Amino acid sequence: MESGSVTTPFGRRPMTFGMLASQAAARKIEPGRSIDKWKLYRALCEARPLLGITDRALSILNALLSFYPKGELSEDNGLVVFPSNTQLSLRAHGMAEQTIRRHLAALIEAGLLIRKDSPNGKRYARKEQGGEIREAFGFSLAPLLARADEIERLAAEVTAERLQLQRLKERLTLCRRDIAKLVEMAVEEGASGDWSGVHLHFRGIVERLPRSPSFEKIAAALDELELLREEITNQLEMQVKAPNQSGNAQHSERHIQNSNPHYTTELEPGFETKQGTTAEDQSEGRAEPTARIATHEGKGRPVPAASSASVAGGGLRSFPLGLVLQACPEITAYGPQGSVDTWRDLMTAAVVVRSMLGVSPSAYEQACDVMGPENTATVIACVLERAGHINSAGGYLRDLTRRAERGEFAIGPMLMALVRTNSPIRGKTG
């Protein structure tokens, strides 16, 4: 189009700010700029969702580009095409004229075309004596050349998003296959576990996905399925390892695997006993927590309770229930009947909080094996108090479990810090 000119539409069609902006942008084309028209058209097809145009409108644009005589769009070759609606219909596979007009208006509104109407609204060109076009009236393709970089960028974004969605769907398919085959194997091999419940949970996640899910819904479902797959894998691996563990001739006791996290201890765990004392010597009302019983190989006599407790609790010191509740009052709401009166109530509440915080059963069970059930429930209560400062409760619990195995973790400092935090006189000090 002519530099510095502004064209208004013919007849009753109004002038809009969008048209004015498109014409202003078209006048800023760099001198000598050119681009392959079909390469640009392919980029337009890719960027179509972000440009807000339909595939039928792109068919009309394709027909208009076919009337451009050169292979590259350039101001030197002119940027106005002037076919009649009849010619457009033929190259648009017989599209009706009313439909052509509607899609032309959509292309103009999207800022991809500019009308350059003649005084009488007809499309034609005036030529010089040598046959060169001096002035043409029709549709200017200048916006395509002016927005070429933007169109290619939008096309690259759509392509990248499509590839990302494709990879996400592939991961979802693989995860679904893994879960289905693992559950099938567990049922056929008779592995212990609520596999019917796991399968129902799996089907519930899958069936929530719509026929054409968005990227966000696929990502959310994939996160749930990957967590479920991890829990299934951990549970099955623990059952695979359990039969393979055997007694060591250099040790006097065997390791007995117990996968039940629900312990029956009701009394508060006692403090560490003094050297030389036994469980019978302790005062009434304070008893050792129930522990796994280990026997000497070939002898059949039980290991003393203090030794058993140190195996089950990883050598961690236990604290009175009253102190735990003073440091962690929030756990009380999750106990039976909304209260915690015994250690059994605390462990029941810890199982509920464990699920709420997203801690996997395998992580909780491993913590019980290393630290003992009462200490694990105490740690869960502490984690609940500091839930707003912990990104992954499951990962945090696994880290504490590993530190407890190495003898690098103690519950006392954690409890004392929470006692000071929740103290009613804390705000008056300082």
Side-chain angles (χ1 to χ4, degrees), residues 16-314:
T16 65
F17 275 107
M19 295 180 185
L20 190 62
S22 296
Q23 294 182 31
R27 290 197 297 270
K28 297 179 181 178
I29 298 175
E30 298 176 3
R33 177 75 186 277
S34 65
I35 189 169
D36 185 277
K37 64 180 181 180
W38 297 121
K39 179 182 177 182
L40 181 60
Y41 178 74
R42 287 191 292 272
L44 276 168
C45 293
E46 289 284 357
R48 181 180 65 83
L50 300 181
L51 291 172
I53 54 177
T54 64
D55 53 349
R56 301 293 298 278
L58 283 177
S59 297
I60 297 299
L61 186 58
N62 180 287
L64 286 173
L65 288 173
S66 68
F67 285 101
Y68 191 76
K70 302 293 183 178
E72 291 193 347
L73 294 177
S74 172
E75 279 192 308
D76 297 337
N77 300 322
L79 291 171
V80 178
V81 291
F82 42 90
S84 65
N85 285 343
T86 302
Q87 292 174 314
L88 272 177
S89 177
L90 291 175
R91 296 202 185 182
H93 310 290
M95 190 180 295
E97 287 194 16
Q98 294 85 350
T99 308
I100 290 175
R101 293 192 187 97
R102 186 170 69 251
H103 291 309
L104 285 171
L107 290 170
I108 293 170
E109 185 177 356
L112 299 176
L113 289 179
I114 293 176
R115 287 185 184 273
K116 188 179 180 183
D117 288 344
S118 64
N120 60 2
K122 301 294 183 181
R123 302 171 198 155
Y124 59 88
R126 292 197 179 98
K127 298 184 179 181
E128 302 286 354
Q129 292 182 351
E132 297 179 354
I133 296 177
R134 181 169 60 87
E135 188 175 17
F137 298 99
F139 298 102
S140 173
L141 304 175
L144 296 179
L145 187 59
R147 299 179 61 185
D149 293 337
E150 176 194 356
I151 292 170
E152 290 179 348
R153 178 179 55 81
L154 293 176
E157 290 179 5
V158 172
T159 302
E161 184 177 351
R162 185 176 67 250
L163 291 176
Q164 189 176 8
L165 181 62
Q166 180 181 351
R167 295 191 184 100
L168 202 64
K169 287 182 177 179
E170 290 174 353
R171 288 176 56 193
L172 181 68
T173 300
L174 291 175
C175 193
R176 289 178 59 179
R177 185 183 70 189
D178 292 344
I179 294 174
K181 289 187 178 292
L182 287 173
V183 171
E184 182 181 2
M185 179 200 70
V187 173
E188 291 179 355
E189 298 293 334
S192 61
D194 183 16
W195 300 113
S196 60
V198 171
H199 183 262
L200 288 175
H201 180 49
F202 166 60
R203 293 307 309 169
I205 297 173
V206 173
E207 290 172 0
R208 284 201 304 267
L209 287 172
R211 184 178 296 273
S212 298
S214 63
F215 182 88
E216 291 76 15
K217 291 186 177 180
I218 294 178
L222 181 60
D223 288 342
E224 291 185 68
L225 289 177
E226 285 182 340
L227 178 61
L228 180 61
R229 180 177 61 182
E230 181 183 359
E231 293 183 358
I232 293 172
T233 303
N234 291 339
Q235 186 173 356
L236 292 176
E237 286 179 351
M238 290 178 64
Q239 296 185 39
V240 169
K241 292 177 182 178
N244 295 332
Q245 290 188 359
S246 59
N248 190 332
Q250 298 178 358
H251 293 79
S252 62
E253 60 186 36
R254 291 180 181 270
H255 174 75
I256 299 177
Q257 181 75 21
N258 184 0
S259 61
N260 182 13
H262 302 287
Y263 294 83
T264 57
T265 302
E266 290 191 30
L267 300 177
E268 293 185 14
F271 289 101
E272 297 173 353
T273 58
K274 296 182 180 179
Q275 185 175 3
T277 61
T278 62
E280 289 79 9
D281 297 332
Q282 296 179 13
S283 61
E284 292 183 3
R286 178 179 296 176
E288 291 288 340
T290 302
R292 280 180 261 164
I293 298 176
T295 59
H296 288 277
E297 293 190 31
K299 296 184 180 180
R301 66 176 182 270
V303 178
S307 175
S308 177
S310 65
V311 173

Side-chain angles (χ1 to χ4, degrees), residues 325-348:
L325 296 180
Q326 180 184 354
C328 310
E330 291 189 15
I331 193 73
T332 307
Y334 299 93
Q337 309 299 328
S339 64
V340 173
D341 300 319
T342 64
W343 280 100
R344 175 181 287 179
D345 293 345
L346 180 65
M347 288 185 284
T348 301

